[in-house]
Structures are given as C-alpha cells and as structure tokens.
Amino acid sequence: MNKELEHQFVTELENNQNIVHKVCTLYTNDRDSHNDLFQEITIQLWKAYPKFRGESKFSTWMYRVALNTAITLYRKSKRRVRTQDYESVIFKIKADEYDATEEEQLKLMYKAVKQLGDIDKALVFLYLEDKDYREISETLGISEVNARVKMNRVKKKLRTVLNP
Amino acid sequence: MDELELLKKDWQKKGEQLPKLTYDDIHRMTWKKSSSIVKWILIISILEIIIPNLLYLIPSFRQSMSIYENTVVDQYFMGMTVVYYLVVFYFIYLFYKRYKEISVLDSAKGLMRKIIRTRRTVKYYVIFSLSTILVFIAIVIIGIYLNDSFMDNFTELAGDSKEVSPEKLKTTLMVSMAILGVVLTAFFGGIYFLLYGLLLRKLKSNYKELKKLEV
C-alpha cells in the first residue's frame, strides 16, 4: 500500500476526527461501541480513500461515508451495556455557561435526539452540522423537498418530547 | 425552532469534549479488518452458494447415484446437472457484479438498495437450489417407482423378511423419501430465511423509511 497515501489519509482523518466522533456519539450508547464504530468508519474511509479525488473537501466526503457506515454497514456489537456515565460525559454541559432551564432543555433535547430512528438521527446530525438541504438530500438519497418535509416531522417529534 | 437552534449552537461547541485519537491510534485502525454487514453478507452468501454443491462431493451420495447408470433417469440427471451448473454460474456472476456495485460513497438510500439487491440475488439462488433438491428427490422417487431391480437390492438389504410385500416396501420408501425431501428443504429454507431476516432487518426498515418519503 502506498505509504504516502496512507500518511495523507491518517493526517486528514486526525484533523477531522470530530466529525466521526460526533456520528459515533449519536449512534452508540457506550464507549466500547463508540470505539467499534469509529474503527469501522475508519476502515471504510480508508478503503474508499483511493477514490477520493479531492473534488470535494475531505470533511464533506467524510460525512457520507461515516453516516453510511453508522446507518447501514455497522453491525452493533453484542455488548449492550448502557453506561449512563458515558452520555453524561459526552453531553456534559458546564453549569456556569448556561442558566438551569437552558441546561435542562439541552439535556432533554440530546436525550430526545438519541431516541430517534437511524434516518431521523442522520437528518438532525446534518442539520446540526449546518448542512444545507441540498447536501442533506444528496447524502440520504431523497429529494430536497422530501428532506424538508422529513426534517419538519423530526422537529415536530422533538417538540412533542420537550413540551408534552 | 428555538430549541433546535440552541442545540445547534451547543453541538458546534462540543469539539473540546470529544475524545481525541492520536495519529498512531488512527494509523493502527486502518490495518484492522472490517466487520461490516457487507462483509458478512459476502461470507454467508458464498457459503450458501457452495453448500448445496458440496452434496455432490460426498462419495456415498455419488455411489447412490450410480444405481441409475444407463437408465432414463440417468439421462435426466445429466441434463439437469448441466442446466443446474449453468444457472449456478449465472447466479455467481450476477452476485459478483452486484456485490461490486456496493459503494460506501453512494447515498444512504442507494447503498441500501444495492445491498438489498445483492442479497436478493442470493435469495433467488437459495430458492433455486431448494427447488432443485425437491426436483432431485422427485426424480429419485420416480426412479424407485419405475425401477424394479432397485427394489431387489433393497429387499436383499432388508434381509429375507417375508412379512412385508415388495409393493408395500416400495410405497413406504417413496413416502419416506418425499417426507425427507420436504423436511430437508424446509430446514435449509428456515436457516436461510432466519439469516436473511437477521442480517437485513434493520437495513430494510431504514430503507422503507427513506422510500416511503418518495411516494
């Protein structure tokens, strides 16, 4: 395997690893699964890397591979230990940054997002990452109009959780 | 929606709380083996394609086939085998082609569709080979029915018990062959559809969800 290509890839991924970590955070419930999924995404990215021609930014290209791996390719491991600590570590909100209600609201929001289905999660993820509807629709393989419709439904779903 | 905007702001600040992997950590990962669903589908599909063909490699199976030498049944078998392998190779070619089309760079929906299509090829193959087993057993039963000398061998084996008439023995043999055939087919079919269901359950429901939007 080309050493230079490998070095280039690992450096790019090291610089953009937050994207993959965020996907793992959304799609897994414990640290072991997080690491498992991170590894699988890395493998898939590396396998696809020779086809990456630099037409888009490395990060843009990563979103698609990472989400495809999380939604479709990844087989959840047998371990189903739900460690509550994990979520509170990842989604920890510093108390002095927010007032209590805001903190409470955010906690509820994150919890609600984690409970969404795979596809809804992907929509919310891309939305939170500030992607436009064109990119969301292309990543998921649906039309832009349908991406909007779906997003509105997800928003409604989240609203119901927050204001029952 | 205000809450979602609030979430977005918070989400984008998450960077510092996320784990940080070093260059070496990531480098090590690139050498690990994938355990993706596509890999499992490949392994299981190859097994499913090979297993029915292994039957022909069992010596006792080939021996039992030799009783049909130079009979009409034998010619049927020859013809069937040729057709069978042509179809098998066609399925292998189709499977390979579809497997190669699976790309992680596709859209989520496109990727799911291609995986389902690849697996569907194997499903048709399994249905085909299960039907072949049934047809094969049907031919054996017909062989027993038409071939009296075969029954002679059988009565020799059974000893010279006179209580059972050859006719009755023949019927019993044919019925048990039929039951065996159906049970065998149902068993392999059951295993297959269980595996198929387990492998694709999540994928299919996600695919349905995306597809539902397009209606």
Side-chain angles (χ1 to χ4, degrees):
Chain A
M1 195 60 79
N2 191 334
K3 282 262 174 244
E4 200 185 317
L5 193 74
E6 200 178 350
H7 172 70
Q8 208 181 326
F9 169 77
V10 178
T11 314
E12 290 260 39
L13 181 54
E14 191 192 359
N15 295 335
N16 291 286
Q17 60 174 295
N18 276 358
I19 296 172
V20 184
H21 282 303
K22 282 177 174 177
V23 171
C24 296
T25 304
L26 270 187
Y27 283 92
T28 62
N29 289 321
D30 58 85
R31 204 161 296 163
D32 281 343
S33 310
H34 181 113
N35 294 340
D36 254 15
L37 180 56
F38 193 100
Q39 182 172 305
E40 189 60 46
I41 293 174
T42 305
I43 295 168
Q44 296 298 334
L45 283 166
W46 174 228
K47 261 169 52 184
Y49 192 60
K51 286 185 204 137
F52 172 65
R53 308 238 183 272
E55 288 143 4
S56 55
K57 265 171 45 190
F58 183 76
S59 58
T60 314
W61 177 80
M62 272 176 76
Y63 279 103
R64 186 172 283 210
V65 179
L67 277 178
N68 268 341
T69 309
I71 300 173
T72 307
L73 302 181
Y74 177 63
R75 288 178 62 256
K76 284 193 176 75
S77 57
K78 293 268 184 293
R79 295 184 291 263
R80 292 243 181 230
V81 212
R82 282 190 74 101
T83 29
Q84 288 301 317
D85 300 355
Y86 174 75
E87 275 183 45
S88 52
V89 167
I90 293 294
F91 295 134
K92 199 169 70 190
I93 294 123
K94 285 184 196 123
D96 52 346
E97 273 183 48
Y98 302 98
D99 59 76
T101 44
E102 203 172 284
E103 185 187 338
E104 207 42 53
Q105 220 172 9
L106 275 168
K107 250 188 194 165
L108 268 171
M109 284 289 279
Y110 278 122
K111 216 173 152 191
V113 171
K114 291 275 290 194
Q115 281 165 1
L116 291 173
D118 289 345
I119 306 291
D120 290 353
K121 260 185 205 167
L123 265 162
V124 172
F125 171 69
L126 292 168
Y127 176 86
L128 293 178
E129 290 289 301
D130 224 7
K131 300 291 165 200
D132 57 24
Y133 279 105
R134 191 186 52 81
E135 199 175 331
I136 295 178
S137 73
E138 278 170 9
T139 307
L140 295 179
I142 53 178
S143 71
E144 227 174 294
V145 179
N146 286 329
R148 272 176 210 278
V149 172
K150 185 91 176 130
M151 191 64 213
N152 282 333
R153 277 187 213 150
V154 177
K155 281 181 184 171
K156 214 185 258 173
K157 225 185 258 180
L158 289 175
R159 210 174 292 142
T160 337
V161 177
L162 288 176
N163 311 301
Chain B
M1 185 195 185
D2 291 338
E3 292 100 327
L4 211 58
E5 283 307 317
L6 182 74
L7 190 71
K8 197 188 229 175
K9 252 192 262 160
D10 186 70
W11 178 259
Q12 283 165 2
K13 277 190 275 176
K14 284 263 165 274
E16 64 255 37
Q17 290 157 32
L18 291 166
K20 274 266 170 288
L21 295 178
T22 63
Y23 181 95
D24 289 337
D25 289 335
I26 296 174
H27 186 250
R28 226 173 291 132
M29 282 183 185
T30 59
W31 290 95
K32 291 267 166 63
K33 288 254 174 294
S34 160
S35 63
S36 78
I37 180 169
V38 172
K39 191 152 185 203
W40 279 101
I41 285 178
L42 176 71
I43 294 169
I44 290 171
S45 300
I46 289 176
L47 284 177
E48 280 163 354
I49 289 170
I50 290 173
I51 287 170
N53 297 304
L54 289 181
L55 212 60
Y56 293 97
L57 297 177
I58 303 168
S60 64
F61 182 81
R62 279 210 303 269
Q63 241 162 41
S64 72
M65 295 295 294
S66 63
I67 55 157
Y68 294 111
E69 259 171 37
N70 303 322
T71 62
V72 189
V73 177
D74 189 37
Q75 284 162 17
Y76 276 123
F77 272 134
M78 273 302 289
M80 238 179 83
T81 313
V82 171
V83 174
Y84 176 79
Y85 279 107
L86 280 177
V87 179
V88 168
F89 284 121
Y90 176 68
F91 270 116
I92 292 173
Y93 160 75
L94 211 62
F95 172 75
Y96 178 77
K97 200 173 133 236
R98 297 203 160 153
Y99 175 75
K100 278 284 172 201
E101 276 169 14
I102 296 175
S103 161
V104 74
L105 300 174
D106 222 324
S107 69
K109 194 176 152 200
L111 173 67
M112 290 176 200
R113 195 187 53 234
K114 281 177 186 162
I115 293 177
I116 292 173
R117 219 175 53 163
T118 306
R119 198 57 195 154
R120 200 177 288 147
T121 310
V122 185
K123 177 169 139 182
Y124 293 144
Y125 170 79
V126 169
I127 291 174
F128 164 75
S129 46
L130 289 178
S131 327
T132 315
I133 295 179
L134 276 182
V135 171
F136 168 76
I137 287 169
I139 293 180
V140 173
I141 293 173
I142 294 168
I144 296 170
Y145 181 72
L146 295 177
N147 196 338
D148 284 332
S149 58
F150 170 69
M151 281 316 291
D152 294 343
N153 293 336
F154 198 80
T155 36
E156 265 169 40
L157 259 172
D160 36 16
S161 52
K162 296 270 186 282
E163 308 99 70
V164 191
S165 71
E167 273 310 305
K168 204 169 173 190
L169 200 65
K170 205 167 172 174
T171 319
T172 318
L173 194 64
M174 279 159 62
V175 170
S176 24
M177 285 292 281
I179 292 172
L180 182 79
V182 172
V183 169
L184 206 70
T185 318
F187 176 71
F188 283 117
I191 290 180
Y192 172 74
F193 284 102
L194 190 74
L195 273 175
Y196 184 77
L198 285 177
L199 275 173
L200 290 194
R201 192 173 51 193
K202 191 184 87 156
L203 196 151
K204 272 195 163 166
S205 76
N206 283 338
Y207 182 64
K208 249 186 228 157
E209 197 180 329
L210 282 173
K211 226 179 148 192
K212 208 166 60 191
L213 280 169
E214 304 296 303
V215 182

